[in-house]
């Protein structure tokens, strides 16, 4: 996957400052076909870099704070790979925690998770299923988009082919319930 980054030269003119592969990319050894890429990230209140410096090496969590962003592209292998006798869930969890700190800790054993973010997802290739709390499953295919509003969910690739999805996570204040059942804003 190619990443092109723009910036400005010493005269203030727009230029391409970087053109090459996504430098923060990982192909998991514990689950062949699972690929995670972080093409870009911003932190809340951070000015746009005029020189186009790469912020991804400094990212210590894939969970952006309110106002921050993360651009993540995931390739999901077919779900059948999870039932392969060679699949080691402990090794996969270890790789997830190394690759996706901040989010990996929120993923339950069945893949369900929720983040205090608004996520814009675009299916780039293949077919994938969005599963929600109530068991409702919505199939998505290339070109489909999903807006994920901090809800508990999981992604399921029930096809026989890889599925690639681009996500832009925007950090948001999470709604929580106080003891009286009233919704209040707050960060989980």
């Amino acid at each position: 996957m190619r990443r092109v980054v723009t910036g400005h030269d010493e005269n203030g003119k727009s230029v391409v400052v970087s053109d090459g592969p996504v430098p923060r990319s990982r192909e998991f050894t514990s689950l062949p076909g699972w690929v995670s890429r972080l093409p870009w990230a911003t932190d809340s209140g951070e000015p746009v870099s005029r020189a186009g410096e790469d912020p991804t090496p400094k990212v210590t969590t894939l969970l952006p704070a309110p106002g921050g962003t993360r651009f993540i592209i995931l390739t999901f292998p077919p779900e059948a790979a999870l039932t392969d006798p060679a699949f080691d869930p402990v090794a996969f969890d270890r790789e997830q925690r190394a690759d996706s700190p901040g989010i990996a800790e929120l993923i339950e054993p069945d893949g369900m998770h929720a983040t205090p973010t608004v996520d814009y997802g675009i299916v780039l290739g293949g077919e994938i299923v969005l599963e929600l709390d109530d068991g409702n499953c919505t199939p998505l295919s290339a070109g489909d988009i999903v807006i994920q509003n901090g809800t508990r969910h999981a992604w399921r690739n029930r096809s026989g082919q890889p599925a690639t999805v681009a996500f832009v996570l925007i950090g948001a204040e999470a709604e929580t319930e106080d003891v009286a059942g009233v919704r209040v804003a707050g960060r989980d």
Side-chain angles (χ1 to χ4, degrees):
M1 188 166 282
R2 177 180 174 200
R3 181 188 75 168
V4 176
V5 179
T6 64
H8 297 87
D9 67 13
E10 60 279 352
N11 299 317
K13 299 222 182 240
S14 57
V15 295
V16 170
V17 296
S18 174
D19 184 347
V22 175
R24 192 159 168 175
S25 182
R26 179 186 202 129
E27 294 183 28
F28 282 43
T29 57
S30 61
L31 184 57
W34 183 278
V35 182
S36 174
R37 300 171 190 91
L38 179 66
W40 206 254
T42 63
D43 288 323
S44 180
E46 184 178 280
V48 173
S49 168
R50 302 221 12 111
E53 293 98 355
D54 187 352
T56 62
K58 295 184 255 177
V59 170
T60 59
T61 177
L62 290 191
L63 191 61
T69 67
R70 300 294 184 265
F71 180 23
I72 301 167
I73 300 173
L74 294 176
T75 298
F76 300 82
E79 201 168 60
L82 300 171
T83 60
D84 185 309
F87 174 65
D88 180 350
V90 173
F92 179 68
D93 180 64
R94 194 169 34 252
E95 274 192 283
Q96 276 281 62
R97 289 173 185 269
D99 181 74
S100 305
I103 294 177
E105 298 83 1
L106 301 175
I107 299 174
E108 301 164 31
D110 65 353
M112 296 293 284
H113 61 285
T115 57
T117 59
V118 174
D119 305 345
Y120 302 149
I122 304 166
V123 181
L124 300 177
E127 299 174 352
I128 196 144
V129 173
L130 170 64
E131 181 180 340
L132 299 178
D133 260 342
D134 61 2
N136 184 0
C137 291
T138 303
L140 301 165
S141 58
D144 290 345
I145 63 171
V146 62
I147 312 304
Q148 185 66 25
N149 285 305
T151 54
R152 188 169 170 269
H153 66 284
W155 297 101
R156 313 282 186 212
N157 181 353
R158 296 182 175 146
S159 77
Q161 301 297 316
T164 300
V165 185
F167 297 97
V168 175
L169 282 64
I170 303 167
E173 293 289 333
E175 262 189 354
T176 58
E177 289 187 25
D178 69 10
V179 289
V182 177
R183 291 217 174 272
V184 294
R187 182 118 173 116
D188 289 338

